[in-house]
Amino acid sequence: MSSQRYRLSGGTTIRTDTPLSFTFDGKSYHGYKGDTLASALIAAGVHLIGRSFKYHRPRGIMSAGSEEPNALVRVGTGAYAEPNLKATQVELYDGLIATSQNRFPSLKYDVGSINSVMSQFLPAGFYYKTFMWPASFWMTYEHFIRNAAGLGKVASDPIDPERYEKTHRHCEILIAGGGGAGLMAAYQAALSGQRVMLVDEQAEFGGWLLSDDAVKIDNMPAYDWVREMQSLLSNMDNVTLLPRTTMFGYGDHNYITLAERVTDHLSPRPSHLPRMRLWKVRVAQVILATGCIERPLVFGGNDLPGVMLASAVQSYITQYGALPGSRAIIVTNNDTAYQAALAFQNAGGFVRAIVDTRTTVKGAWVKAAKDAGIDILSGHGLTGAYGIHHVGRVEISPITADGREITGEAVHMDCDLVMMSGGLTPTVHLHSQARGKLVWDEKHLCFKPGATHEAEQSIGACNGSFALSSGLAEAIRAATKAVKSTGGTCTALSVPDVTALRINYAPMAYWKAPSQAGAGQGPKAFVDFQNDVTSADIQLAVREGYQSVEHVKRYTTTGMATDQGKTSNMNALGILADALGHEIPDVGTTTFRMPYTPTSMGMIAGRDIGGLFDAVRLTRMDSWHRAAGAKFEHVGQWMRAWYYRHDGETMEQAVTREVLAARTTAGLLDASTLGKIDVRGKDAATFLDRIYTNKFSSLAVGKCRYGLMLKDDGMVMDDGVTTRLADEHYHMTTTTGGAAGVLDWMEEWLQTEWPELDVFLTSVTEQWSVATLSGPHARAILEAADISVDLSDTAFPFMSMKQGYVSGLPARIFRISFTGELSYEINVPARYGVALWTALMKAGEAFGITPYGTEAMHVLRAEKGFIIVGQETDGTVTPLDLGMNWIVSKKKPDFIGKRALERTSMADPKRKQLVGLRTDNPDDVIPEGAHAVLDPNQPPPIDMLGHVTSSYASPNLGYSIAMALLKGGHKLIGETVWIPMLDGQKPIKAVVTDTVFYDAQGDRLNGTSSS
Amino acid sequence: MVASEIDRGLGGLKDKKKRYSAFALARNAASYHQNWQRAWRNASPKASYDAVIIGGGGHGLATAYYLASVHGVTNIAVIEKGWIGGGNTGRNTTIIRSNYLWDESASIYEHALKLWEGLAQDLNFNIMFSQRGVLTIAHSEHELKEMSRRVHAIRLNGIDSDVMNPAEIKKFVPCINIDQSIRYPVMGGFVQQRGGTARHDAVAWGYARAADDMGVDIIQNCEVTGLRRKGRKIIGIDTNMGFIKTKKVGCVVAGHSSVMAEMAGIHLPLASRPLQALVSEPIKPILDTVIMSNAVHMYISQSDKGEMVLGAGVDKYNSYAQRGSFPVPEHMIAAAVELFPFMSRLRMLRHWGGIVDTCPDASPILSKTDIDGLYFNCGWGTGGFKATPGSGHVFADLIANDRPNNIAAPYALSRFETGFLIDEHGAAGVAH
Amino acid sequence: MAQAHPDISALEAQAGRLPDQMPHPDGGSGGIVFTDLSTCGKLNLRCASDVSSQIIRFLGASLPDKANSVTTSGERRIIWLGPDEYLVLVKTGEEDSLSSIISSALSSQHHAATIVTDALACLQLDGPAVRDVLAKGCALDLHDTKFTAGMCAQTLLASASITLLCEGDSSFRIICRTSFLDYVMAWLKDAACEYGYYVTPQSNI
Amino acid sequence: MLQLPCPYCGPRDELEFSCGGEAHISRPLAHNKISDADFGEYLFLRDNPKGVFLERWRHASGCRRWFNVVRDTVSHDILEVYAMGRKPRSSAGKNAYNNSWRRTSAAEAAAVNK
């Protein structure tokens, strides 16, 4: 068990009273609450963390934030394992288990590093230039490429045991980034009483102030000021503070998405809390205070473990109390690194030298460094770093004022730490996501926010205002402005006075170090560390003509790793501009998109998985069906009883039993899912005449009529039986799947095209439970169920409706039939559904009543040649194609779809038309979806007539029946067609017939005739 | 239907110095990669061309390539507003398949698939066409029936397609969840083994390089500001680089087709919609097949780099903003986690939007217009990438001969007058 | 409450099949109480807003004249659904007579009074965490200063369309189609796990 | 996600709405006797401007009412919302309405004087 050899006393966020233990690659270590995995490893002196993507080069920790390109690890085991986590973002908790990635057999000895030796043959885009011969071999090459690629491995146990949630919020002002500027803005805004949200991706608010040991705000150390602000804010109930929360998305109309890490830092994790929570926030005014990211410098060997960002070193020392090395070389093109150098020296490190690329260096910090006895090599560049698994030696060369040429001999120095600073890049990602423009800042060599598109403002370092004092001033201005524009009021606070050594921040343009070696030679100088993109790769891309930023990015993959180019984009742009001989602003930058940092998909899915993935709709009789052993079928969102399986039955046997019962005794179907729409108003009849192809104004009160609806393109949309309850009152039924669509469709016409019509539509689908009693004994059973109305044919003819009582339950009884049998659809107020059902089952017991499901219903209607919209139709079928000309009114001047039916194409003899099929062998049941052809022996492509829409073994007829949509089908009746099979079996021979297979005369509708 | 013999054009590269090979790689390694040739010239427009292709995406560059290599028309230019391959070519999920329901669709997509096979050699550019198979999942009785209809038709059209039951699917795709108790259980599927993916950028670059090699001018950062006509004839185009004389203009600008049509004073039955896609962080290989699901509205594959690539349907409103609304990725990710539970512990790395031009019948337009010399190739909706070589090949033929061949004929604009649509809607679902 | 909080992740597999009672994780109070009020009478009223005066004496309250608002008299609620649409909640059984009275009162105007008692379910939610639970699936601004007693809205709760009524700071009603009730209830229980909940046993009709 | 101001319920998330596409298309009656070409235009041709667009939306999960929206298809800005049967009042909306090719289409002409 290793000690924390490099642990310092102090550390603004370290809680030494809470020690924690963890393991990395099986070895156990110690850290404290407040550590990240990275800081704890540094405190333990561990610097080799991972292997790079392409060359498998040894990599360490470069940064202290979400921009980390190198230190990627797998955290957790089994189902809890998560790959590709940035050690700099993983909060330490007790028992944390971390493993290195992309190496075999071990991190130290990785066979993949052979790529590093081969690297000369693997320049940018090498894979586009080879692996092409022989052509058939690509898949083999690719197999190896795929296995070499990828980073971490996913969890071995696929089911994620943790819980993720989502929530919605609204607020007037949201501030992203809880550093100095963010805290200031939040407090200023909160004074107005408006709802304020402050989010920060780190565990603690304060941002850079947690690492700044040299600044005082209102005469108190920065960290104390942070704590004071935080306690002020946490006591205001109009303020929501969200640490560990990343604003990853900025959508239209200020729709903000936040990722909160709720329990990742806890051990054990409380089971009732989600691991992460997705916040979807609609915000009036957004303030971005996301700070900036330090750039690495581009020189040979800059990717070695021990080469770190200067600001990161300062953070590890000041915030985490961990010392990343003992002998440091600082290399910089600006002043900021001097503070880090002093912090390192004050922490007990030895600063070998500060290598400054600028020829003349001056200012307060330079003086402070000199006073501290630190050697400063101005006009020098670091032109190479060397070491095996860690940096051990650097090469320093004198350079020209523009930094492009080496002017003399190199000196070499030993060290175990290189602190580099290439200048600061404002974090403009969210501003850019919000479609804000970016403008070039020549003094600071960076892009900063320009014109905005959404209601947002940028303040502080992310706005190119790097000095704390100006950041705080901007915060107050922005917050008061935001408050005003949300209708609130607040008086502007005075800017706290900041005491710190003045930094004259003006970095030198130095995008890559000159090299002692020739072009394309010498140690690799990395731009994108994780994807192993070097400055040579970018220059190669330009030579080959890939010259737009996007081409370079895509050809070299720079900026496309999991760090999304946070540290590399600006350097890549600078090198590209040099290679093209353009100015950076003329080369342009790529626009940023969601997400700001990689974002958990489990969190985005949230609870919309498993049983909650989508709604399920149930009828009131659902529980009865389940108890009766029903199997269910999804119809839209509905669960419908498909068939009722008795012990030992196959599905076929069950369906056959149900089908026979409906024709010989009686069957009972739950038809509650049919859409039901109440149509009222003085223009109801006129309206229905326009919606249906046939006439409904002529329908007598108390009578029912089957109707067909078309889209305006003439294609069948829905069908159903509609009944006239009163002069100005109809009860419409639709298909189960079509119900919602039909109501919306009719509302659309009423509201948008025919506002002059007085019609109200109300969905009453769930108001009624519907039991369809069908079969020769239907009438007898209803009488046994003591129905209050006269069922005689004269009193209650086919296609009419009566109101009365069934077993004492108020009911609307419709005498309509989808089976061809004597049939009644009994509607009762839904709450009585089960009562009605059980009453009918009881009354029917003596008559052999049998509940049947949707499958039996399909067979029964198919025997009668009744269509099912969505099965016989697919949005390309007209009533004429279905042979239903009889239902298309010739008299009506207009109805939806009428004009379309008159188009030339509608008369085309090759249109597909609905016909019946009878197989040569009565036992052959054609698979639904199979296609009929005239010549099965024709070599493919075979001319197809069309497909089989419905096909069943008909128990009542004793042979198989089918319906099909065939080209010119109506003319084919009597002809022989062939239906080729998939599984090599010989084609089925069939004869084209009419679609009505059973009781063509319709005698059975009155239940008397027997056949 | 599919022409049995496809004229693939000359193929390879005339300029031997430029040819790619393992040997060339080694030779250049010796000179530290300082001597690689440009992939294509930075051409500036000539005063006049025999034909101009507007739009430097895959379809436009392929059109130019086949005009040159098949029809010998080399005095042509490809005009691109931005950088080539920067539109939907570089923004799609790279799925390639030809298992469509209707004959007309099967015909053009299979034509494309045949060209994909061997395209790397034709272009001397490894576009990484990877025939890892495309598996479409059915989640309900109804979808199983639709699937059966689809598979029968595809087979009779001579295109490969195999049905799988859940057990077979599990064997084929071990990481998929076939638990029958979930909301949309995997009830079956059908696979096209010849389907797969390709490297989208490489397709644009490969066509550009090969076309350039035959003398085609590829002109980037050149925006078309007007289509000039004399009466019903095209005489040239106005651009920010000046007037370019030409008698034939082929518009292949996808989402911006309506804008081009406006310039010519005609109208197209198109809606430009956002189409969103995203990738996860790269992981070691776990999914070697392309999976599509209409019911849960999602398609997914794993790239050679290791990223899980996800796509879904289009947003519901018209937009030219190359961005969509959050609920779309939100739903597609939920669907992905439902089908592939391991995705729950992966993270979304990049997300983007494209502008797709969709037709009322979800089928493309490859057509002459009532203006002589003006041709449109558009309306590919979410399915354009897979058609790239076929689309370019057929469109080049249309422009060269000024009449559609039997593959292009059904895709004429006139179908919206007559009503002879090729309605992939019923069939399509996620049309991708 | 001595009972230990069940490990919710163990219930993942049966998402939406949670028990009718879930103690507060910390054993404290603050959970949600769900009560099914579905048996109350419901009337969907379509008519011009200016007829209010003609039917106020039958309804006992005027039609809400503001969008997204509810008028109340005793147990009755008149809920604004749209410019010409209202939902009337009454005591069980009152809806039949009320609908005929209104129909005759409005016989001269274009209107529709449709009984939807069985078509719609009505749930009462009580408890300090109620707004947080709803916010998990509802995108409205549910802040207690923005969505106050007497307000209503038709909106989405996860993937179900609902009508939401605010009855008080920590008291809401959800009205949805009965066919969705099972899903809505499952979703609500799942969302309430974090705070604990209790489903009032169904009193029989 | 867009936020649309329903003229009846107030601002709501796009998720609650369904988009009905181009607004102000009048339907020709069968007896208007227009050509197949003109009818095809009514059926399939939809305005697809880059910029200001007049479209119809329906508050599907709210009051279920249709209304018109003037929206910029590039910026996604909502410029105006107005009731069915009305015409746009904003200058952007007016221009889009008057300059639309549809104002001069045969189908429109037939439909308007039905």
Side-chain angles (χ1 to χ4, degrees), chain A residues 82-83 120 128 132 142 160 280 543-544 551 554 599 614-615 905 928 942, chain B residues 33 39 84 121 130 132 145 148 156 183-184 201 304 330 344-345 347-348 418:
Chain A
E82 187 154 346
Q120 199 53 23
Y128 299 128
M132 286 182 276
E142 189 187 35
D160 189 336
K280 300 182 267 187
R543 273 200 300 285
E544 293 193 76
H551 280 157
R554 288 155 180 264
T599 303
D614 187 16
S905 56
E928 284 175 351
I942 300 178
Chain B
H33 303 289
I84 62 168
Q121 289 67 31
S130 170
R132 49 189 57 258
K145 288 178 180 175
S148 166
L156 293 173
R183 179 66 178 80
Y184 290 101
D201 295 324
D304 284 349
E330 198 177 9
S344 179
R345 293 187 94 87
R347 283 175 301 283
M348 163 171 66
T418 60

Short mmCIF file of all heavy atoms in Angstrom, two decimals, chain A residues 82-83 120 128 132 142 160 280 543-544 551 554 599 614-615 905 928 942, chain B residues 33 39 84 121 130 132 145 148 156 183-184 201 304 330 344-345 347-348 418:
data_model
loop_
_atom_site.label_atom_id
_atom_site.label_comp_id
_atom_site.label_asym_id
_atom_site.label_seq_id
_atom_site.Cartn_x
_atom_site.Cartn_y
_atom_site.Cartn_z
N GLU A 82 -17.27 1.73 -16.32
CA GLU A 82 -17.50 2.77 -17.31
C GLU A 82 -16.17 3.17 -17.93
O GLU A 82 -15.23 3.51 -17.22
CB GLU A 82 -18.17 3.97 -16.65
CG GLU A 82 -18.61 5.03 -17.63
CD GLU A 82 -19.77 5.86 -17.12
OE1 GLU A 82 -20.41 5.46 -16.13
OE2 GLU A 82 -20.02 6.92 -17.71
N PRO A 83 -16.07 3.08 -19.27
CA PRO A 83 -14.80 3.35 -19.94
C PRO A 83 -14.57 4.83 -20.19
O PRO A 83 -15.49 5.64 -20.08
CB PRO A 83 -14.94 2.61 -21.26
CG PRO A 83 -16.41 2.66 -21.57
CD PRO A 83 -17.11 2.64 -20.21
N GLN A 120 6.20 5.83 -38.91
CA GLN A 120 6.63 6.47 -40.15
C GLN A 120 5.75 6.02 -41.34
O GLN A 120 5.58 6.75 -42.30
CB GLN A 120 8.09 6.13 -40.42
CG GLN A 120 8.77 7.08 -41.41
CD GLN A 120 8.61 8.55 -41.01
OE1 GLN A 120 8.39 8.88 -39.86
NE2 GLN A 120 8.68 9.42 -42.00
N TYR A 128 -6.49 5.50 -46.20
CA TYR A 128 -7.18 5.79 -47.47
C TYR A 128 -6.33 5.34 -48.66
O TYR A 128 -6.80 5.23 -49.77
CB TYR A 128 -7.45 7.29 -47.62
CG TYR A 128 -8.34 7.85 -46.55
CD1 TYR A 128 -7.95 8.98 -45.83
CD2 TYR A 128 -9.57 7.26 -46.25
CE1 TYR A 128 -8.77 9.51 -44.84
CE2 TYR A 128 -10.39 7.78 -45.27
CZ TYR A 128 -9.98 8.90 -44.56
OH TYR A 128 -10.78 9.42 -43.59
N MET A 132 -6.22 -1.93 -50.17
CA MET A 132 -7.19 -2.05 -51.26
C MET A 132 -6.96 -3.30 -52.09
O MET A 132 -7.76 -3.64 -52.95
CB MET A 132 -7.15 -0.81 -52.15
CG MET A 132 -7.79 0.40 -51.50
SD MET A 132 -7.80 1.84 -52.58
CE MET A 132 -6.18 2.51 -52.28
N GLU A 142 -9.77 -4.78 -42.14
CA GLU A 142 -10.60 -3.96 -41.27
C GLU A 142 -10.74 -4.60 -39.89
O GLU A 142 -10.73 -3.91 -38.87
CB GLU A 142 -11.99 -3.77 -41.90
CG GLU A 142 -12.83 -2.75 -41.16
CD GLU A 142 -14.26 -2.69 -41.70
OE1 GLU A 142 -14.79 -3.74 -42.09
OE2 GLU A 142 -14.83 -1.59 -41.71
N ASP A 160 -27.42 -2.04 -16.89
CA ASP A 160 -26.95 -1.00 -15.99
C ASP A 160 -27.80 -1.00 -14.72
O ASP A 160 -28.99 -0.74 -14.77
CB ASP A 160 -27.06 0.36 -16.69
CG ASP A 160 -26.38 1.48 -15.90
OD1 ASP A 160 -26.25 1.32 -14.67
OD2 ASP A 160 -26.01 2.49 -16.52
N LYS A 280 -33.64 19.75 -17.92
CA LYS A 280 -34.04 20.45 -19.15
C LYS A 280 -34.66 21.77 -18.73
O LYS A 280 -35.73 21.79 -18.15
CB LYS A 280 -35.00 19.59 -19.96
CG LYS A 280 -34.39 18.24 -20.36
CD LYS A 280 -35.31 17.40 -21.21
CE LYS A 280 -36.12 16.45 -20.36
NZ LYS A 280 -36.92 15.51 -21.20
N ARG A 543 -0.49 19.84 -47.73
CA ARG A 543 0.22 19.51 -48.98
C ARG A 543 -0.66 18.71 -49.91
O ARG A 543 -0.62 18.86 -51.12
CB ARG A 543 1.48 18.70 -48.66
CG ARG A 543 2.71 19.51 -48.35
CD ARG A 543 3.98 18.68 -48.53
NE ARG A 543 4.01 17.51 -47.65
CZ ARG A 543 4.26 17.57 -46.35
NH1 ARG A 543 4.48 18.74 -45.78
NH2 ARG A 543 4.30 16.47 -45.61
N GLU A 544 -1.51 17.85 -49.34
CA GLU A 544 -2.34 16.99 -50.18
C GLU A 544 -3.63 17.66 -50.62
O GLU A 544 -4.47 17.04 -51.27
CB GLU A 544 -2.64 15.69 -49.45
CG GLU A 544 -1.41 14.82 -49.24
CD GLU A 544 -1.77 13.42 -48.81
OE1 GLU A 544 -2.21 12.63 -49.66
OE2 GLU A 544 -1.64 13.12 -47.60
N HIS A 551 -11.74 19.94 -43.60
CA HIS A 551 -11.02 18.86 -44.28
C HIS A 551 -9.84 18.40 -43.44
O HIS A 551 -9.60 17.21 -43.28
CB HIS A 551 -10.54 19.32 -45.66
CG HIS A 551 -11.63 19.28 -46.70
ND1 HIS A 551 -11.59 20.04 -47.84
CD2 HIS A 551 -12.78 18.58 -46.75
CE1 HIS A 551 -12.67 19.80 -48.57
NE2 HIS A 551 -13.42 18.92 -47.93
N ARG A 554 -11.07 16.39 -40.52
CA ARG A 554 -11.55 15.06 -40.87
C ARG A 554 -10.44 14.17 -41.42
O ARG A 554 -10.45 12.96 -41.21
CB ARG A 554 -12.70 15.19 -41.89
CG ARG A 554 -13.97 15.73 -41.28
CD ARG A 554 -14.86 16.41 -42.28
NE ARG A 554 -16.07 16.92 -41.65
CZ ARG A 554 -17.22 16.24 -41.64
NH1 ARG A 554 -17.31 15.04 -42.20
NH2 ARG A 554 -18.29 16.75 -41.06
N THR A 599 -21.41 13.09 -22.74
CA THR A 599 -22.55 13.08 -21.83
C THR A 599 -23.21 11.70 -21.78
O THR A 599 -23.48 11.10 -22.82
CB THR A 599 -23.57 14.14 -22.29
OG1 THR A 599 -22.91 15.41 -22.34
CG2 THR A 599 -24.75 14.22 -21.34
N ASP A 614 -42.62 3.46 -23.44
CA ASP A 614 -43.75 4.06 -24.14
C ASP A 614 -45.02 3.64 -23.42
O ASP A 614 -45.06 2.62 -22.75
CB ASP A 614 -43.78 3.59 -25.61
CG ASP A 614 -44.84 4.34 -26.41
OD1 ASP A 614 -45.31 5.39 -25.93
OD2 ASP A 614 -45.19 3.86 -27.51
N ALA A 615 -46.07 4.47 -23.55
CA ALA A 615 -47.33 4.17 -22.87
C ALA A 615 -47.95 2.90 -23.44
O ALA A 615 -47.75 2.56 -24.60
CB ALA A 615 -48.29 5.33 -23.02
N SER A 905 -53.70 8.37 -63.54
CA SER A 905 -53.04 7.18 -63.01
C SER A 905 -54.03 6.23 -62.34
O SER A 905 -53.80 5.03 -62.27
CB SER A 905 -52.00 7.61 -61.98
OG SER A 905 -52.62 8.38 -60.97
N GLU A 928 -48.28 -14.69 -45.43
CA GLU A 928 -48.65 -13.30 -45.71
C GLU A 928 -47.40 -12.53 -46.11
O GLU A 928 -46.33 -12.74 -45.54
CB GLU A 928 -49.30 -12.67 -44.47
CG GLU A 928 -50.73 -13.15 -44.28
CD GLU A 928 -51.36 -12.63 -43.00
OE1 GLU A 928 -50.64 -12.04 -42.17
OE2 GLU A 928 -52.58 -12.83 -42.83
N ILE A 942 -37.63 -11.06 -61.03
CA ILE A 942 -38.88 -11.65 -61.53
C ILE A 942 -39.98 -10.59 -61.51
O ILE A 942 -40.09 -9.81 -60.55
CB ILE A 942 -39.27 -12.85 -60.64
CG1 ILE A 942 -38.17 -13.92 -60.69
CG2 ILE A 942 -40.60 -13.43 -61.08
CD1 ILE A 942 -38.43 -15.12 -59.80
N HIS B 33 7.27 11.75 -46.18
CA HIS B 33 5.94 12.19 -46.63
C HIS B 33 5.93 13.62 -47.14
O HIS B 33 4.90 14.28 -47.12
CB HIS B 33 4.92 12.00 -45.49
CG HIS B 33 4.86 10.59 -45.00
ND1 HIS B 33 4.32 9.57 -45.75
CD2 HIS B 33 5.33 10.02 -43.85
CE1 HIS B 33 4.44 8.43 -45.07
NE2 HIS B 33 5.05 8.67 -43.92
N ALA B 39 -4.47 15.79 -53.71
CA ALA B 39 -5.58 14.90 -54.06
C ALA B 39 -6.38 15.49 -55.22
O ALA B 39 -6.83 14.78 -56.11
CB ALA B 39 -6.49 14.67 -52.86
N ILE B 84 -15.85 20.60 -50.27
CA ILE B 84 -16.52 19.41 -50.81
C ILE B 84 -16.79 18.38 -49.71
O ILE B 84 -16.01 18.21 -48.78
CB ILE B 84 -15.70 18.75 -51.95
CG1 ILE B 84 -14.35 18.27 -51.45
CG2 ILE B 84 -15.58 19.70 -53.12
CD1 ILE B 84 -13.64 17.36 -52.45
N GLN B 121 -11.36 0.36 -55.77
CA GLN B 121 -10.41 0.10 -56.85
C GLN B 121 -10.67 1.06 -58.02
O GLN B 121 -9.73 1.60 -58.60
CB GLN B 121 -10.53 -1.35 -57.32
CG GLN B 121 -9.99 -2.37 -56.31
CD GLN B 121 -10.80 -2.44 -55.03
OE1 GLN B 121 -12.02 -2.23 -55.02
NE2 GLN B 121 -10.12 -2.72 -53.92
N SER B 130 -17.59 -1.47 -46.22
CA SER B 130 -17.49 -2.62 -45.34
C SER B 130 -18.83 -3.35 -45.31
O SER B 130 -19.79 -2.84 -44.73
CB SER B 130 -17.11 -2.12 -43.95
OG SER B 130 -17.24 -3.15 -43.02
N ARG B 132 -20.69 -5.37 -43.75
CA ARG B 132 -20.85 -6.06 -42.47
C ARG B 132 -22.29 -6.48 -42.22
O ARG B 132 -22.62 -7.01 -41.18
CB ARG B 132 -20.34 -5.17 -41.35
CG ARG B 132 -20.88 -3.75 -41.39
CD ARG B 132 -20.18 -2.83 -40.39
NE ARG B 132 -18.75 -2.80 -40.58
CZ ARG B 132 -17.92 -3.47 -39.83
NH1 ARG B 132 -18.38 -4.19 -38.83
NH2 ARG B 132 -16.64 -3.42 -40.06
N LYS B 145 -45.28 -8.97 -40.46
CA LYS B 145 -45.98 -9.14 -41.75
C LYS B 145 -45.36 -8.22 -42.79
O LYS B 145 -45.07 -8.63 -43.92
CB LYS B 145 -47.47 -8.82 -41.58
CG LYS B 145 -48.22 -9.91 -40.80
CD LYS B 145 -49.69 -9.56 -40.59
CE LYS B 145 -50.37 -10.69 -39.80
NZ LYS B 145 -51.78 -10.36 -39.46
N SER B 148 -42.11 -9.69 -43.92
CA SER B 148 -42.28 -10.80 -44.86
C SER B 148 -42.54 -10.26 -46.26
O SER B 148 -41.93 -10.70 -47.24
CB SER B 148 -43.45 -11.67 -44.40
OG SER B 148 -43.84 -12.54 -45.44
N LEU B 156 -37.27 -11.66 -54.87
CA LEU B 156 -37.69 -11.83 -56.26
C LEU B 156 -36.99 -10.82 -57.15
O LEU B 156 -36.84 -11.02 -58.35
CB LEU B 156 -39.21 -11.71 -56.38
CG LEU B 156 -39.99 -12.84 -55.69
CD1 LEU B 156 -41.48 -12.56 -55.71
CD2 LEU B 156 -39.69 -14.18 -56.36
N ARG B 183 -40.89 -3.26 -23.80
CA ARG B 183 -42.03 -2.61 -24.46
C ARG B 183 -42.10 -2.95 -25.94
O ARG B 183 -43.15 -3.23 -26.48
CB ARG B 183 -41.92 -1.08 -24.26
CG ARG B 183 -43.03 -0.29 -24.90
CD ARG B 183 -44.37 -0.58 -24.26
NE ARG B 183 -45.43 0.23 -24.85
CZ ARG B 183 -46.04 -0.06 -26.00
NH1 ARG B 183 -45.65 -1.12 -26.68
NH2 ARG B 183 -46.99 0.72 -26.47
N TYR B 184 -40.97 -2.91 -26.62
CA TYR B 184 -40.92 -3.28 -28.04
C TYR B 184 -39.92 -4.41 -28.22
O TYR B 184 -38.78 -4.19 -28.61
CB TYR B 184 -40.54 -2.08 -28.90
CG TYR B 184 -41.62 -1.02 -28.98
CD1 TYR B 184 -41.54 0.14 -28.21
CD2 TYR B 184 -42.73 -1.20 -29.79
CE1 TYR B 184 -42.54 1.11 -28.27
CE2 TYR B 184 -43.74 -0.24 -29.86
CZ TYR B 184 -43.63 0.91 -29.10
OH TYR B 184 -44.62 1.86 -29.16
N ASP B 201 -16.47 10.73 -45.70
CA ASP B 201 -15.58 11.76 -46.27
C ASP B 201 -14.78 11.20 -47.44
O ASP B 201 -14.62 11.84 -48.47
CB ASP B 201 -14.60 12.26 -45.20
CG ASP B 201 -15.32 12.99 -44.07
OD1 ASP B 201 -16.32 13.68 -44.36
OD2 ASP B 201 -14.89 12.83 -42.90
N ASP B 304 -15.26 2.11 -37.59
CA ASP B 304 -13.95 1.46 -37.45
C ASP B 304 -13.14 2.10 -36.33
O ASP B 304 -12.28 1.49 -35.74
CB ASP B 304 -13.17 1.56 -38.77
CG ASP B 304 -13.71 0.55 -39.79
OD1 ASP B 304 -14.52 -0.31 -39.37
OD2 ASP B 304 -13.35 0.64 -40.96
N GLU B 330 -32.87 12.54 -27.79
CA GLU B 330 -33.32 11.99 -26.50
C GLU B 330 -34.03 10.66 -26.73
O GLU B 330 -33.74 9.65 -26.07
CB GLU B 330 -34.26 13.00 -25.84
CG GLU B 330 -34.48 12.80 -24.36
CD GLU B 330 -35.38 13.89 -23.78
OE1 GLU B 330 -35.95 14.69 -24.55
OE2 GLU B 330 -35.51 13.92 -22.54
N SER B 344 -26.00 2.29 -21.98
CA SER B 344 -26.34 3.13 -20.83
C SER B 344 -25.09 3.74 -20.19
O SER B 344 -25.12 4.86 -19.70
CB SER B 344 -27.11 2.32 -19.79
OG SER B 344 -27.43 3.12 -18.68
N ARG B 345 -23.99 3.01 -20.22
CA ARG B 345 -22.77 3.53 -19.58
C ARG B 345 -21.76 4.07 -20.58
O ARG B 345 -20.59 4.22 -20.29
CB ARG B 345 -22.17 2.46 -18.66
CG ARG B 345 -23.07 2.18 -17.47
CD ARG B 345 -22.45 1.26 -16.44
NE ARG B 345 -21.79 1.98 -15.36
CZ ARG B 345 -22.39 2.41 -14.25
NH1 ARG B 345 -23.69 2.25 -14.11
NH2 ARG B 345 -21.71 3.02 -13.31
N ARG B 347 -21.02 7.38 -23.36
CA ARG B 347 -21.36 8.79 -23.43
C ARG B 347 -21.43 9.29 -24.86
O ARG B 347 -20.69 8.83 -25.73
CB ARG B 347 -20.34 9.60 -22.63
CG ARG B 347 -20.58 9.53 -21.12
CD ARG B 347 -19.51 10.24 -20.33
NE ARG B 347 -18.20 9.68 -20.60
CZ ARG B 347 -17.78 8.54 -20.08
NH1 ARG B 347 -18.57 7.85 -19.29
NH2 ARG B 347 -16.58 8.09 -20.39
N MET B 348 -22.36 10.22 -25.07
CA MET B 348 -22.48 10.89 -26.36
C MET B 348 -21.28 11.81 -26.52
O MET B 348 -20.99 12.63 -25.64
CB MET B 348 -23.78 11.68 -26.40
CG MET B 348 -23.83 12.72 -27.50
SD MET B 348 -25.47 13.48 -27.69
CE MET B 348 -25.63 14.36 -26.15
N THR B 418 -49.15 13.03 -62.53
CA THR B 418 -49.93 11.83 -62.90
C THR B 418 -50.38 11.06 -61.66
O THR B 418 -51.43 10.43 -61.66
CB THR B 418 -49.05 10.88 -63.73
OG1 THR B 418 -47.92 10.53 -62.92
CG2 THR B 418 -48.57 11.57 -65.00
#
